[in-house]
């Protein structure tokens, strides 16, 4: 038996069935063997200590995303006082399950605007903000990128857009292709359509000196560098993930 599947069966048994084997558990083990993600079978996942329900089948939060959001939160705690943190305005766009915005709202107590397009995920985010007791410092908008986001100056914009190049589909695990939402995974223009849109449009939504953090695929670094050559409104740097690969583009709005 695949060692990963074996571990996932143990996780499923402990998390969902309290260690008690049953016919339902055995049936879900067969689904695991067929490639269904264990997080969908359990129905939730922990993200930086927050309970993220996945009933609507949003994109499953990745460890790489959790890694950089943790760094973001720690940097803000080092930079600002508790009072200053509460006064920050954050925007989580392409929110999916809402995990990024919810983690920031929970750990920073900042005000977080959350933007997501798909209706089933909107309902899921409302459930997750309520469960994590951060509904009072979050606002949720159904929005196609920035189309229905309140136009104000945010301190930070955080984005995990679709960024996989459809031409590189063969590098994506079959369990992901068969079970997760392709709309949340793939994008045109070598996967960079929405990254470019964020580069072009997000300055209008940031204070001078504000930052946007954008997750992307490590192989896209050179393409992003080329695109930023004639964008004087930005200074930029990259944050590496836990595997020492470029994972997040950090843009700072120049005056």
């Amino acid at each position: 038996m695949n060692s990963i599947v074996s571990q996932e069966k143990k996780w499923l048994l402990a998390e969902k069935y309290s260690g008690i084997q049953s016919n339902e558990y055995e049936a879900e083990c067969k689904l695991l063997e067929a490639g269904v993600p264990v997080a969908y079978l359990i129905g939730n996942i922990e993200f930086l200590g927050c309970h993220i329900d996945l009933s609507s089948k949003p994109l499953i939060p990745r460890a790489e995303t959790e890694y950089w959001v943790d760094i973001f939160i720690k940097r803000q705690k080092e930079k600002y006082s508790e009072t200053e943190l509460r006064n920050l305005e954050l925007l989580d766009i392409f929110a999916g399950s809402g995990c990024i915005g919810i983690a920031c709202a929970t750990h920073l107590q900042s005000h977080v605007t959350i933007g997501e397009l798909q209706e089933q995920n909107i309902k899921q985010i409302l459930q997750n903000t309520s469960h994590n007791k951060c509904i009072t410092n979050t606002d949720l908008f159904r929005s196609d990128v920035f189309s229905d986001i309140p136009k104000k100056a945010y301190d930070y914009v955080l984005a995990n857009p679709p960024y996989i190049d459809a031409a590189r589909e063969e590098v994506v695990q079959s369990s992901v292709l068969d079970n997760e939402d392709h709309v949340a995974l793939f994008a045109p223009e070598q996967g960079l359509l929405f990254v470019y849109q964020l580069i072009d449009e997000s300055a209008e939504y940031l204070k001078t000196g504000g930052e946007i953090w954008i997750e992307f695929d490590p192989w896209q670094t050179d393409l992003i560098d080329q695109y930023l050559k004639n964008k004087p409104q930005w200074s930029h740097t990259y944050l590496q993930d836990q595997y020492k690969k470029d994972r997040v583009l950090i843009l700072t709005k120049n005056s």
Side-chain angles (χ1 to χ4, degrees):
M1 182 187 300
N2 183 300
S3 61
I4 295 176
V5 172
S6 179
Q7 184 59 43
E8 288 178 340
K9 286 182 178 180
K10 292 178 182 177
W11 184 19
L12 178 66
L13 184 65
E15 292 291 323
K16 188 172 182 179
Y17 294 99
S18 301
I20 301 172
Q21 295 192 21
S22 63
N23 290 337
E24 186 178 2
Y25 166 70
E26 295 297 338
E28 291 202 330
C29 283
K30 288 182 169 56
L31 293 176
L32 273 178
E33 292 168 4
V36 176
V38 66
Y40 283 160
L41 294 176
I42 293 173
N44 62 79
I45 196 168
E46 184 179 286
F47 186 90
L48 293 178
C50 299
H51 177 93
I52 304 298
D53 192 279
L54 301 172
S55 299
S56 73
K57 302 293 193 295
L59 189 70
I60 298 170
R62 270 36 181 195
E64 293 88 343
T65 305
E66 187 175 38
Y67 181 84
W68 72 255
V69 175
D70 186 39
I71 290 174
F72 172 82
I73 289 170
K74 287 175 178 174
R75 286 189 182 181
Q76 308 327 308
K77 286 186 173 182
E78 291 171 357
K79 185 175 181 179
Y80 300 104
S81 68
E82 289 186 6
T83 299
E84 290 170 330
L85 287 173
R86 285 193 293 272
N87 289 326
L88 289 180
E89 289 285 345
L90 276 58
L91 170 62
D92 171 19
I93 199 165
F94 298 98
S97 65
C99 62
I100 294 174
I102 288 167
C104 291
T106 299
H107 293 291
L108 299 177
Q109 295 296 302
S110 304
H111 181 263
V112 182
T113 299
I114 300 175
E116 166 60 27
L117 178 60
Q118 299 194 69
E119 183 62 37
Q120 71 272 21
N121 291 342
I122 293 289
K123 296 175 182 177
Q124 184 76 86
I125 293 167
L126 282 171
Q127 180 181 350
N128 284 331
T129 54
S130 178
H131 183 92
N132 289 283
K133 298 180 172 56
C134 59
I135 201 164
T136 57
N137 60 317
T138 55
D139 288 321
L140 176 59
F141 295 88
R142 187 178 183 190
S143 182
D144 186 357
V145 194
F146 289 110
S147 62
D148 292 294
I149 297 295
K151 197 166 187 179
K152 60 182 179 180
Y154 296 91
D155 295 282
Y156 296 95
V157 177
L158 307 174
N160 183 14
Y163 58 72
I164 299 175
D165 181 2
R168 292 169 56 89
E169 184 177 302
E170 74 281 354
V171 305
V172 181
Q173 291 179 320
S174 60
S175 62
V176 174
L177 290 174
D178 293 343
N179 295 282
E180 298 196 57
D181 184 5
H182 287 205
V183 172
L185 292 168
F186 296 101
E189 295 189 37
Q190 296 179 284
L192 287 166
L193 174 70
F194 297 112
V195 174
Y196 292 158
Q197 185 174 355
L198 290 167
I199 291 171
D200 290 339
E201 298 180 11
S202 59
E204 298 180 51
Y205 293 83
L206 277 170
K207 298 175 182 177
T208 298
E211 296 176 353
I212 176 167
W213 292 44
I214 309 171
E215 184 171 327
F216 67 95
D217 209 339
W219 72 270
Q220 296 166 332
T221 299
D222 289 343
L223 294 172
I224 293 171
D225 280 339
Q226 288 294 322
Y227 196 79
L228 284 168
K229 276 189 174 179
N230 298 310
K231 306 290 181 182
Q233 69 270 37
W234 299 115
S235 300
H236 78 282
T237 186
Y238 295 101
L239 178 71
Q240 292 189 329
D241 61 22
Q242 60 268 54
Y243 309 110
K244 307 304 180 185
K245 295 180 179 180
D246 289 345
R247 181 61 63 182
V248 180
L249 168 66
I250 303 175
L251 298 170
T252 303
K253 182 180 176 181
N254 297 322
S255 57

